[in-house]
Amino acid sequence: MIESFREAFGRTLVEIGREELKLVVLDADVKSSTRTSYFEKAFPNRFFQVGISEQDMVSTAAGFAIAGKIPVASAFASFLMRAWEQIRNTVARDNLNVKLVSTHSGFSDYLDGSSHQCLEDVALMRVLPNMRVIVPADAPSVEVLLREAVKLEGPVYMRLGRDYAPRVYERPKLKIGKASILRKGNDVLLIANGVMVSVALKVADTLEDKGMRAAVADFHTVKPLDEETLLRMASPVDVVVTLEEHSIYGGLGGAVAEVLSERMPRRVIRIGTTQFGRSSRDYLSLLDRYGLTAEKVVRRLEEVVA
Amino acid sequence: MSEAVFRLRNMLERVNNFHLSSSETCLDILSAVLERKGEEDVVILSKGHSAPAFYVTLHEMGFITWEELLTFADIDGLPSHVARGLPFIEVSSGSLGQGLSVANGIALAKRADGKGEKVYVILGDGELDEGQVWEAAMTASHYGLDNVIAIVDRNYFQLTGGTEETLRKEPLADKWRAFGWTVIEVPNERSAIETALDYAERIKGRPKVIIARWEK
């Protein structure tokens, strides 16, 4: 079942807004694309448009947080990163209760091409003190994790794709900071987040046909990373594979490699990108081109593990 | 020389005159604003490098001692740029161009809650090079934020030289007016700034900016 990240985001915001009256939503003229337009329709007095100015949006959100509101500021991941310095110097440094939600991350804005395809944001956010970084796997995960993020005090960066979101969970019981174990196995460990969780499950199926039992975990929270679950799951295996729709530098793969190299050395194979994206008429052909489909991942693993 | 200027020079002698000039020109603005500020009003020092002037003003108001002033920029002392947690400081600064946006967020939240308090934001003239200031100027004007009062420390200097040689600001008042703000231009001295603040508070429906020109 395929649902949409942004639809889940837009609809859940409205549901949270009914109960949490301190919730306000800020937009930089992308509300119809991010689906925060649903919130504007439901609560016009709690929706604030600042125009095409992500930097102003982030600092204005900081002001709302200082005044006791719970601001959600949303834009395409690529353009939200334009406000990295505002996020660093105001939101993160002052540990303000600002929720930053990006949409159209990874390759999901396939048609718009490399300017719009953000493959660096997890690294940029993960490096910031106080910041939590969350990458939900599917639409039901967005619902659960967004509710949790709003309840938490302090800054959160939530990274969402656009529409393509194969369902991983029926009724997910997810907690920020706690990895979700989806499959057990002692031959290889697959660690993924975002859309790549569904890919990792397919990879595990294929590997099982070849007689290899793969464990799969959804590390939706990249920061703080659930180190205990990582170490427990890595302990029986020789090879840990990370899968993310993001650069292999500084994202989930980087985080996992950092922890394992220090605490439990294992061979880590990072599946992700090292280049900018490109425009395409459909999303899946981009995932294929960059080696992020189940078939390509299996082939890569056969090459490097054999 | 006023006692405040004397103290400022004395405390900054030890730290290579850290932002001395831009602190001197900020003294009257800070004292006028901080003494006027109501309990729930908010002051944002967007030009956070004028922290020395802010600490001297706190000292004059009796919030910190002379000994504390002398800890300026010491590793466990007063931070070189203002930081959240200090008296009156709601948001850390040091990186230019962000204070007006933060002021707008606070002002919008207060208005949404039906509160009438004001948000004062102190900007440098060099700081106006930052594009974000003008993004925020548009936002304040779009929402008719009459609870936002900006004060520009118009001292005609920025880090590497004169403001007009570095990047021309004039016609500065016209720029703000074109963005939908009411502009009040005054000499940068205590009584003139107070009069300007009185006047600014009476104007409804628009954000206001006081351009305090250093004429000494």
Side-chain angles (χ1 to χ4, degrees), chain A residues 31-92:
Chain A
K31 63 185 178 188
S32 46
S33 303
T34 59
R35 303 297 195 249
T36 59
S37 52
Y38 301 162
F39 189 92
E40 180 187 33
K41 191 150 182 265
F43 311 106
N45 297 331
R46 286 194 274 149
F47 180 86
F48 297 91
Q49 180 61 256
V50 298
I52 310 168
S53 54
E54 295 77 13
Q55 300 163 77
D56 186 42
M57 175 174 72
V58 166
S59 304
T60 305
F64 273 107
I66 288 166
K69 303 291 182 192
I70 305 173
V72 174
S74 185
F76 288 26
S78 244
F79 308 120
L80 194 54
M81 291 306 109
R82 187 182 176 118
W84 184 86
E85 199 261 357
Q86 283 74 8
I87 296 170
R88 178 200 186 270
N89 265 327
T90 302
V91 174

Side-chain angles (χ1 to χ4, degrees), chain B residues 30-69:
Chain B
L30 276 164
S31 63
V33 170
L34 287 180
E35 283 182 26
R36 159 179 298 258
K37 175 194 173 311
E39 185 76 16
E40 297 289 318
D41 291 340
V42 173
V43 177
I44 292 176
L45 185 55
S46 192
K47 51 172 304 203
H49 57 282
S50 289
F54 173 72
Y55 300 138
V56 166
T57 309
L58 284 190
H59 173 65
E60 299 217 308
M61 295 170 77
F63 284 96
I64 58 176
T65 64
W66 173 238
E67 286 67 34
E68 283 174 288
L69 266 189

